[in-house]
Amino acid sequence: MKIATYNVNGVNGRLPVLLRWLEETTPNVVCLQELKAPQEKFPEQAILDAGYNAIWHGQKSWNGVAILARNMEIKELKRGLPGDPDDDHSRYIEALVNGVVIGCLYLPNGNPAPGPKFDYKLRWFERLTIHAASLLATGMPVVLAGDYNVIPTELDAYKPERWVEDALFRPETRAAFKTLVAQGWTDAIRKLYPDQKIYTFYDYFRNAYGRDAGLRIDHFLLSPQLDGRLIAGGVNRDVRGWEKTSDHAPVWIELKD
């Protein structure tokens, strides 16, 4: 079972890139973030024509998450992260696919920090941590995949000293991620590549992609039931070099049945 996560940075504007990537790599399940499309503007037919069923939680201009499954049923479990009924951001969707609970998330960026946006990021993180604990308690195999907007360690950033004051790398953010993982989750990519520089995001400015000056901010967290099933994973780095592409590269893992 090959599962991928991809911040598309606008699902309609990047649709040719998305469809080409789906055709070339054929993941079984895909978590998308930053759809930047209202519910009714999601390109469902194009996705269906590519061989994927889809559920999505759209929002005009911002945010938006989706789960795609290739020739498999998607049973939606949750839309929106519990814990704040007034939070109208489309940042979380959860489904059961092929016996695995898939949580697709787009964690707030949080900049500028400190400030209200950073406070929202940390509150969202707390809600995610509480919900993640409840998922672990079910005993089901769970994958929490998406754009976490977290640089976990210095190894995950090109020139980490430049990111010290950024919301993605502030001590509070890294501590929140560490607390979440400590519940019993496996950071899949870091397990596979414990000492390597692996980047999933390259800014559009200063030829970041060409210089390999990136960040690792797109993550897979696996519940204990899936830790032993992880057999492969990586980043489709070349997709970041395609024309009119997202500033993120798709990330994928493979689980044995």
PDB file of all heavy atoms in Angstrom, residues 147-159:
ATOM      1  N   ASP A 147       1.046  18.315   5.609  1.00  0.00           N
ATOM      2  CA  ASP A 147       1.954  19.448   5.793  1.00  0.00           C
ATOM      3  C   ASP A 147       1.807  19.911   7.235  1.00  0.00           C
ATOM      4  O   ASP A 147       0.839  20.575   7.589  1.00  0.00           O
ATOM      5  CB  ASP A 147       1.591  20.561   4.798  1.00  0.00           C
ATOM      6  CG  ASP A 147       2.474  21.787   4.956  1.00  0.00           C
ATOM      7  OD1 ASP A 147       3.338  21.801   5.858  1.00  0.00           O
ATOM      8  OD2 ASP A 147       2.279  22.754   4.193  1.00  0.00           O
ATOM      9  N   TYR A 148       2.776  19.557   8.052  1.00  0.00           N
ATOM     10  CA  TYR A 148       2.738  19.903   9.474  1.00  0.00           C
ATOM     11  C   TYR A 148       3.258  21.312   9.752  1.00  0.00           C
ATOM     12  O   TYR A 148       3.101  21.813  10.853  1.00  0.00           O
ATOM     13  CB  TYR A 148       3.570  18.908  10.277  1.00  0.00           C
ATOM     14  CG  TYR A 148       2.911  17.571  10.546  1.00  0.00           C
ATOM     15  CD1 TYR A 148       2.718  16.636   9.535  1.00  0.00           C
ATOM     16  CD2 TYR A 148       2.499  17.232  11.829  1.00  0.00           C
ATOM     17  CE1 TYR A 148       2.135  15.405   9.780  1.00  0.00           C
ATOM     18  CE2 TYR A 148       1.912  16.006  12.098  1.00  0.00           C
ATOM     19  CZ  TYR A 148       1.735  15.091  11.069  1.00  0.00           C
ATOM     20  OH  TYR A 148       1.150  13.871  11.326  1.00  0.00           O
ATOM     21  N   ASN A 149       3.922  21.928   8.770  1.00  0.00           N
ATOM     22  CA  ASN A 149       4.554  23.226   8.998  1.00  0.00           C
ATOM     23  C   ASN A 149       5.438  23.196  10.237  1.00  0.00           C
ATOM     24  O   ASN A 149       5.453  24.125  11.048  1.00  0.00           O
ATOM     25  CB  ASN A 149       3.503  24.333   9.087  1.00  0.00           C
ATOM     26  CG  ASN A 149       3.177  24.936   7.731  1.00  0.00           C
ATOM     27  OD1 ASN A 149       4.078  25.246   6.953  1.00  0.00           O
ATOM     28  ND2 ASN A 149       1.889  25.091   7.444  1.00  0.00           N
ATOM     29  N   VAL A 150       6.187  22.090  10.365  1.00  0.00           N
ATOM     30  CA  VAL A 150       7.124  21.908  11.474  1.00  0.00           C
ATOM     31  C   VAL A 150       8.456  21.424  10.910  1.00  0.00           C
ATOM     32  O   VAL A 150       8.493  20.444  10.158  1.00  0.00           O
ATOM     33  CB  VAL A 150       6.618  20.864  12.491  1.00  0.00           C
ATOM     34  CG1 VAL A 150       7.671  20.628  13.574  1.00  0.00           C
ATOM     35  CG2 VAL A 150       5.310  21.296  13.121  1.00  0.00           C
ATOM     36  N   ILE A 151       9.519  22.098  11.281  1.00  0.00           N
ATOM     37  CA  ILE A 151      10.880  21.632  11.021  1.00  0.00           C
ATOM     38  C   ILE A 151      11.334  20.959  12.317  1.00  0.00           C
ATOM     39  O   ILE A 151      11.685  21.644  13.282  1.00  0.00           O
ATOM     40  CB  ILE A 151      11.825  22.810  10.690  1.00  0.00           C
ATOM     41  CG1 ILE A 151      11.284  23.640   9.529  1.00  0.00           C
ATOM     42  CG2 ILE A 151      13.229  22.310  10.398  1.00  0.00           C
ATOM     43  CD1 ILE A 151      11.980  25.000   9.360  1.00  0.00           C
ATOM     44  N   PRO A 152      11.315  19.620  12.398  1.00  0.00           N
ATOM     45  CA  PRO A 152      11.529  18.971  13.696  1.00  0.00           C
ATOM     46  C   PRO A 152      12.919  19.173  14.300  1.00  0.00           C
ATOM     47  O   PRO A 152      13.051  19.355  15.514  1.00  0.00           O
ATOM     48  CB  PRO A 152      11.286  17.487  13.394  1.00  0.00           C
ATOM     49  CG  PRO A 152      10.451  17.467  12.160  1.00  0.00           C
ATOM     50  CD  PRO A 152      10.914  18.649  11.365  1.00  0.00           C
ATOM     51  N   THR A 153      13.973  19.131  13.458  1.00  0.00           N
ATOM     52  CA  THR A 153      15.338  19.237  13.971  1.00  0.00           C
ATOM     53  C   THR A 153      16.190  20.050  12.998  1.00  0.00           C
ATOM     54  O   THR A 153      15.769  20.351  11.879  1.00  0.00           O
ATOM     55  CB  THR A 153      15.992  17.851  14.133  1.00  0.00           C
ATOM     56  OG1 THR A 153      16.251  17.300  12.828  1.00  0.00           O
ATOM     57  CG2 THR A 153      15.101  16.896  14.922  1.00  0.00           C
ATOM     58  N   GLU A 154      17.408  20.348  13.412  1.00  0.00           N
ATOM     59  CA  GLU A 154      18.325  21.102  12.548  1.00  0.00           C
ATOM     60  C   GLU A 154      18.636  20.351  11.264  1.00  0.00           C
ATOM     61  O   GLU A 154      18.899  20.961  10.226  1.00  0.00           O
ATOM     62  CB  GLU A 154      19.621  21.417  13.314  1.00  0.00           C
ATOM     63  CG  GLU A 154      19.428  22.420  14.438  1.00  0.00           C
ATOM     64  CD  GLU A 154      20.743  22.947  14.975  1.00  0.00           C
ATOM     65  OE1 GLU A 154      21.813  22.452  14.561  1.00  0.00           O
ATOM     66  OE2 GLU A 154      20.691  23.879  15.815  1.00  0.00           O
ATOM     67  N   LEU A 155      18.600  19.022  11.310  1.00  0.00           N
ATOM     68  CA  LEU A 155      18.864  18.213  10.119  1.00  0.00           C
ATOM     69  C   LEU A 155      17.813  18.449   9.035  1.00  0.00           C
ATOM     70  O   LEU A 155      18.067  18.213   7.850  1.00  0.00           O
ATOM     71  CB  LEU A 155      18.876  16.725  10.511  1.00  0.00           C
ATOM     72  CG  LEU A 155      19.202  15.698   9.426  1.00  0.00           C
ATOM     73  CD1 LEU A 155      20.594  15.918   8.828  1.00  0.00           C
ATOM     74  CD2 LEU A 155      19.074  14.279   9.981  1.00  0.00           C
ATOM     75  N   ASP A 156      16.640  18.965   9.430  1.00  0.00           N
ATOM     76  CA  ASP A 156      15.507  19.121   8.522  1.00  0.00           C
ATOM     77  C   ASP A 156      15.443  20.501   7.862  1.00  0.00           C
ATOM     78  O   ASP A 156      14.420  20.838   7.259  1.00  0.00           O
ATOM     79  CB  ASP A 156      14.203  18.855   9.284  1.00  0.00           C
ATOM     80  CG  ASP A 156      14.162  17.453   9.863  1.00  0.00           C
ATOM     81  OD1 ASP A 156      14.347  16.494   9.095  1.00  0.00           O
ATOM     82  OD2 ASP A 156      13.973  17.308  11.084  1.00  0.00           O
ATOM     83  N   ALA A 157      16.507  21.267   7.954  1.00  0.00           N
ATOM     84  CA  ALA A 157      16.526  22.600   7.335  1.00  0.00           C
ATOM     85  C   ALA A 157      17.895  22.916   6.770  1.00  0.00           C
ATOM     86  O   ALA A 157      18.920  22.638   7.395  1.00  0.00           O
ATOM     87  CB  ALA A 157      16.133  23.671   8.343  1.00  0.00           C
ATOM     88  N   TYR A 158      17.898  23.492   5.580  1.00  0.00           N
ATOM     89  CA  TYR A 158      19.116  24.040   5.016  1.00  0.00           C
ATOM     90  C   TYR A 158      19.417  25.326   5.777  1.00  0.00           C
ATOM     91  O   TYR A 158      18.575  26.214   5.862  1.00  0.00           O
ATOM     92  CB  TYR A 158      18.900  24.319   3.524  1.00  0.00           C
ATOM     93  CG  TYR A 158      20.054  24.984   2.822  1.00  0.00           C
ATOM     94  CD1 TYR A 158      21.119  24.235   2.351  1.00  0.00           C
ATOM     95  CD2 TYR A 158      20.067  26.365   2.621  1.00  0.00           C
ATOM     96  CE1 TYR A 158      22.175  24.841   1.685  1.00  0.00           C
ATOM     97  CE2 TYR A 158      21.120  26.978   1.966  1.00  0.00           C
ATOM     98  CZ  TYR A 158      22.177  26.217   1.498  1.00  0.00           C
ATOM     99  OH  TYR A 158      23.223  26.836   0.850  1.00  0.00           O
ATOM    100  N   LYS A 159      20.596  25.431   6.359  1.00  0.00           N
ATOM    101  CA  LYS A 159      20.976  26.583   7.185  1.00  0.00           C
ATOM    102  C   LYS A 159      19.929  26.855   8.280  1.00  0.00           C
ATOM    103  O   LYS A 159      19.222  27.877   8.259  1.00  0.00           O
ATOM    104  CB  LYS A 159      21.206  27.823   6.325  1.00  0.00           C
ATOM    105  CG  LYS A 159      22.392  27.652   5.372  1.00  0.00           C
ATOM    106  CD  LYS A 159      22.841  28.958   4.765  1.00  0.00           C
ATOM    107  CE  LYS A 159      24.106  28.747   3.932  1.00  0.00           C
ATOM    108  NZ  LYS A 159      24.533  29.953   3.214  1.00  0.00           N
TER     109      LYS A 159
END
